[in-house]
Amino acid sequence: KRIANIIAALQSGLKKAGAKDSPLEVNNARALLTFYLLEQGKAKEAIEVGEPFARKDRHSSQAASAAIYALVAYGQLLAQRERDAADRETLKNDPQYKEEKARMLSLAHLMVECWPKERAGDLARHEIALHLLRDEKEAEAIEELAAITPAYPSYIRTQFLFARAALQQAAQNKDNGDPKNYRKRALAALRHLPEPDAQADVETNKDYVQARLLFALELIKDKQFKEADKVLAALAPKLESLKLDEDPGKAKEKQRTFTDGMVQLSLHSSALQANDDFKAAKYQEVAKRLDALVDKFNADQLPQLRDSELGPSIIALDLRANVQLNKLDRARAAVKALQALQSEKGAEKNDDNTTAILAQLVNLITQQVAELRKKGDKDNLQKAQAGFTAILKEIAGGRKKPTPQLAFFLARCYAAMGEHKQAVDLLQRFAAESSGTDVQYHHAIQLLLVQEYLQIKEPDKARALLEEILKGKDGKPGWGARNLDAQKMRVLLLEDRADYVNAARLCDTYVNQLVRRLDDNKLKEYYFDFYYHLIYCIVKYAQQQDDAAKKAKALREAAQRLIALEKRQGGFGSEESKKRFDELLEKEADLRQQYLALKDGK
């Protein structure tokens, strides 16, 4: 009621005949009237008073204030139209909306021109930038936002907006080298972002938190881990004091969401740093960084690790580092965390959990043992094998009769460490059993047992089992007759007998069959695998020859096939496949000589 009386008094005063005799009072009255009309939700009337005043008497001390109120009124009008519109396209073609938007932008540009370093100019740039962003004119919006001064009350919000838009533009211009330095400018804005004061509104506080999280993420992308960790560490206590919503319940929920985001970024940073340290053989640094995370998780104080995609890799890395350091107590803590992770995924039985952990350990053990063998690091290899063996025994829990799945993965772990006799002892129990056993695991156990028989120098047992797999019973073909893994095992057994001619023929058969199926990535790997053994067998056949001409002819054929593969497939396949071909060329000097001569056209 009082505001209504104020509006009536101001309108009455401005109509008085002698009003023009007191220009200062008139200007004060116009600015006040614009403000109170805006407060009453009378946006059109506020514009009708404030805009003409700002345009005609721009040198008045009150004109900037009137312009601000009028611009805010325009914003309210347009926002209401946007809420009422059926869809965006219809709204864009609405004549009245287009006219009001054009008038508002015209006023905004006038404000930038008249008051470039004042609040009116900053507000106008903010409003112009928002409309440019809606019209997908990011580059223009960025320049408007960049010109806003730090004195602007919504400076934090505009800098966050600027940084997001600039990073988006930088991503789009990445192939061109980001010529306008959008990413550098975005990071500078995020780095120098001021802290909100105690009276800051909830939207400013939320944008501030999101800006700090964005800055940390970009620093992590640039491997600026120490600075990223400092940003996150400084944000943690600040987050507790910021008002994030008027509703206390919603405020707590938003605080939890931001905290989770902050912890996830911290985990991301820790994982990348630990991975770099592990590659550099800084196992002590890895353990120092990750042991604390594992302990917190085991104490149920780090639920974010459970939700993070990085959880398994962080814990596995901690496990590997502690095995290298021979800290078996720490390794067991990591295993406990892995078990908890698997349990959280909904596994109902302990055997299911154990099998899932062993499935992860297979790759972990295989990779680490292979790396140590390649380096010729015998001491650390023995240390790793002893540590892994102790952990495997603990995971298996000394079961008198493990499940087939458990036996399969446990045997693979032993095989990866070179403990082939233990692998055979485990597998033999299940090789002949099929009732009550998952068919897939039964077949996998049989094939792995064939491989392990070869490893312990019992080829007759390997051949007998493979014969059963291929031929089956009652005159019917066995399950391995059309199985590519079983056929690969045939090749290995032929190679073991030095029957390179028949091994090469078998490989050639499957190479010719698979070449028509290379659109299937899985079959493509089999293709490169058979092709590798084909080349290997031809080379070994050549080395069996006493006749120099026959030897040279076979080596030339192997080199020609190798070059043909390289040209036809654009290389030697996947990284693992290429590595194997490269090692073959390095090891077999005769093949390498022919290969290089043919490539040089000699």
Side-chain angles (χ1 to χ4, degrees):
K1 184 177 179 180
R2 285 173 178 165
I3 291 175
N5 288 336
I6 290 170
I7 290 172
L10 290 169
Q11 287 173 333
S12 175
L14 287 170
K15 292 177 183 177
K16 297 292 182 181
K20 293 182 181 179
D21 296 335
S22 304
L24 180 60
E25 297 295 339
V26 168
N27 290 342
N28 285 338
R30 287 176 178 172
L32 283 170
L33 181 56
T34 307
F35 171 77
Y36 283 114
L37 287 168
L38 182 65
E39 284 287 294
Q40 285 287 78
K42 298 180 178 181
K44 283 187 177 181
E45 291 91 331
I47 292 168
E48 288 171 1
V49 175
E51 184 176 7
F53 173 31
R55 287 185 179 278
K56 293 178 182 178
D57 296 311
R58 62 184 69 176
H59 297 296
S60 167
S61 60
Q62 296 293 336
S65 296
I68 289 173
Y69 306 146
L71 191 65
V72 173
Y74 268 122
Q76 291 181 357
L77 275 183
L78 293 173
Q80 186 60 51
R81 293 198 185 283
E82 289 164 4
R83 286 192 293 270
D84 294 342
D87 58 74
R88 185 168 177 78
E89 285 303 313
T90 302
L91 183 66
K92 283 170 66 176
N93 297 319
D94 183 302
Q96 196 166 4
Y97 176 79
K98 289 166 68 176
E99 181 188 354
E100 287 174 353
K101 181 178 175 180
R103 286 166 51 195
M104 185 212 73
L105 291 174
S106 172
L107 175 61
H109 284 294
L110 173 74
M111 292 165 68
V112 171
E113 179 186 340
C114 295
W115 305 286
K117 301 296 182 183
E118 298 178 34
R119 184 176 297 188
D122 287 335
L123 175 65
R125 289 191 183 96
H126 190 177
E127 197 65 50
I128 292 168
L130 290 173
H131 283 275
L132 287 169
L133 289 172
R134 288 175 194 164
D135 293 338
E136 299 181 357
K137 296 178 180 179
E138 285 82 2
E140 295 174 50
I142 287 168
E143 300 312 319
E144 292 292 343
L145 292 166
I148 293 174
T149 69
Y152 182 49
S154 294
Y155 184 68
I156 290 173
R157 302 194 66 195
T158 59
Q159 289 298 285
F160 178 46
L161 200 60
F162 166 80
R164 286 195 305 176
L167 287 171
Q168 184 178 345
Q169 284 298 103
Q172 291 177 6
N173 296 334
K174 187 177 181 181
D175 293 339
N176 297 327
D178 191 15
K180 292 191 176 181
N181 291 319
Y182 283 121
R183 192 164 193 278
K184 183 178 180 181
R185 294 169 66 190
L187 292 180
L190 292 170
R191 179 174 279 109
H192 300 296
L193 192 75
E195 292 191 359
D197 58 40
Q199 288 75 39
D201 60 85
V202 295
E203 297 302 326
T204 295
N205 288 337
K206 286 190 291 185
D207 281 358
Y208 171 79
V209 175
Q210 291 182 83
R212 301 312 284 166
L213 294 177
L214 178 61
F215 185 40
L217 174 61
E218 295 302 318
L219 288 171
I220 291 169
K221 288 179 182 178
D222 290 345
K223 291 188 172 292
Q224 301 291 321
F225 300 121
K226 288 185 178 179
E227 188 176 0
D229 290 344
K230 285 181 181 178
V231 170
L232 294 170
L235 180 60
K238 184 73 177 175
L239 190 56
E240 296 177 5
S241 64
L242 292 176
K243 185 177 182 181
L244 300 172
D245 200 286
E246 299 297 338
D247 183 301
K250 291 180 179 178
K252 285 185 179 180
E253 182 60 35
K254 286 171 183 173
Q255 189 179 62
R256 278 194 296 269
T257 300
F258 283 137
T259 299
D260 284 345
M262 185 172 61
V263 174
Q264 292 287 2
L265 282 174
S266 182
L267 290 173
H268 187 37
S269 176
S270 294
L272 292 174
Q273 291 180 76
N275 191 55
D276 287 347
D277 285 338
F278 192 89
K279 288 179 180 177
K282 296 179 180 178
Y283 307 123
Q284 197 75 42
E285 292 298 318
V286 176
K288 182 180 178 182
R289 187 178 302 280
L290 301 184
D291 282 353
L293 299 179
V294 169
D295 286 342
K296 280 186 177 182
F297 179 72
N298 283 336
D300 203 24
Q301 294 173 359
L302 192 61
Q304 294 86 355
L305 190 63
R306 184 185 305 113
D307 303 326
S308 174
E309 294 180 2
L310 294 167
S313 59
I314 285 174
I315 297 171
L317 204 56
D318 186 59
L319 172 60
R320 292 175 67 184
N322 281 298
V323 167
Q324 285 291 347
L325 295 168
N326 202 28
K327 293 182 177 179
L328 295 187
D329 287 344
R330 292 303 324 168
R332 290 187 184 99
V335 168
K336 179 183 176 183
L338 278 175
Q339 289 173 322
L341 271 186
Q342 293 300 332
S343 177
E344 289 293 335
K345 291 181 179 179
E348 295 179 0
K349 298 178 181 178
N350 190 48
D351 279 347
D352 293 336
N353 294 342
T354 305
T355 300
I357 293 166
L358 285 171
Q360 291 186 43
L361 280 175
V362 167
N363 293 330
L364 191 159
I365 292 172
T366 303
Q367 181 183 349
Q368 187 157 341
V369 169
E371 287 175 358
L372 291 170
R373 280 179 179 155
K374 186 177 179 181
K375 291 177 181 177
D377 190 345
K378 292 182 180 179
D379 290 341
N380 277 325
L381 176 60
Q382 290 179 351
K383 192 184 296 183
Q385 287 178 319
F388 278 131
T389 300
I391 291 166
L392 289 175
K393 287 179 179 178
E394 184 166 320
I395 293 173
R399 289 173 176 75
K400 292 181 180 179
K401 186 174 175 60
T403 64
Q405 294 92 329
L406 182 61
F408 172 67
F409 283 110
L410 200 54
R412 280 187 65 190
C413 289
Y414 283 126
M417 292 189 298
E419 303 286 348
H420 301 294
K421 185 65 172 65
Q422 285 179 277
V424 168
D425 291 342
L426 265 173
L427 294 167
Q428 280 178 327
R429 303 187 212 175
F430 300 95
E433 295 180 12
S434 57
S435 59
T437 303
D438 186 296
V439 173
Q440 182 181 355
Y441 276 109
H442 181 236
H443 294 171
I445 285 170
Q446 287 187 314
L447 284 177
L448 184 57
L449 183 55
V450 172
Q451 176 184 300
E452 292 305 291
Y453 276 143
L454 281 178
Q455 292 291 339
I456 63 172
K457 308 300 181 185
E458 294 191 12
D460 291 340
K461 288 185 178 180
R463 277 189 282 275
L465 180 54
L466 186 61
E467 186 86 359
E468 178 187 327
I469 290 169
L470 296 172
K471 292 188 176 180
K473 299 177 182 178
D474 304 324
K476 296 180 181 179
W479 64 265
R482 294 187 177 184
N483 182 278
L484 290 174
D485 288 308
Q487 298 304 321
K488 279 170 57 179
M489 204 58 67
R490 279 183 68 192
V491 172
L492 293 178
L493 284 170
L494 288 168
E495 289 177 356
D496 182 67
R497 296 173 62 178
D499 187 353
Y500 298 115
V501 172
N502 284 316
R505 286 173 180 166
L506 184 59
C507 289
D508 201 31
T509 298
Y510 283 99
V511 164
N512 290 327
Q513 288 180 13
L514 292 168
V515 75
R516 299 186 293 271
R517 304 282 304 279
L518 298 184
D519 54 329
D520 184 321
N521 288 330
K522 186 176 181 181
L523 292 179
K524 193 171 186 177
E525 286 304 308
Y526 281 111
Y527 170 79
F528 281 109
D529 201 1
F530 279 114
Y531 211 112
Y532 167 81
H533 283 280
L534 172 62
I535 301 296
Y536 172 81
C537 289
I538 295 174
V539 171
K540 290 301 176 183
Y541 166 77
Q543 293 170 352
Q544 289 177 329
Q545 306 307 306
D546 295 327
D547 187 307
K550 286 184 178 180
K551 180 177 181 180
K553 183 181 177 182
L555 286 170
R556 188 173 182 84
E557 181 187 352
Q560 286 173 334
R561 284 178 178 265
L562 196 57
I563 290 171
L565 172 69
E566 191 175 21
K567 287 181 178 178
R568 189 163 53 244
Q569 299 300 327
F572 295 138
S574 65
E575 186 177 338
E576 190 63 32
S577 177
K578 180 181 181 302
K579 179 182 175 184
R580 191 161 49 167
F581 278 106
D582 288 342
E583 287 175 352
L584 181 64
L585 281 168
E586 184 180 348
K587 184 177 180 181
E588 303 295 345
D590 292 342
L591 174 64
R592 183 172 68 253
Q593 185 178 354
Q594 283 286 342
Y595 170 77
L596 294 173
L598 287 173
K599 288 201 80 170
D600 292 338
K602 297 177 183 178

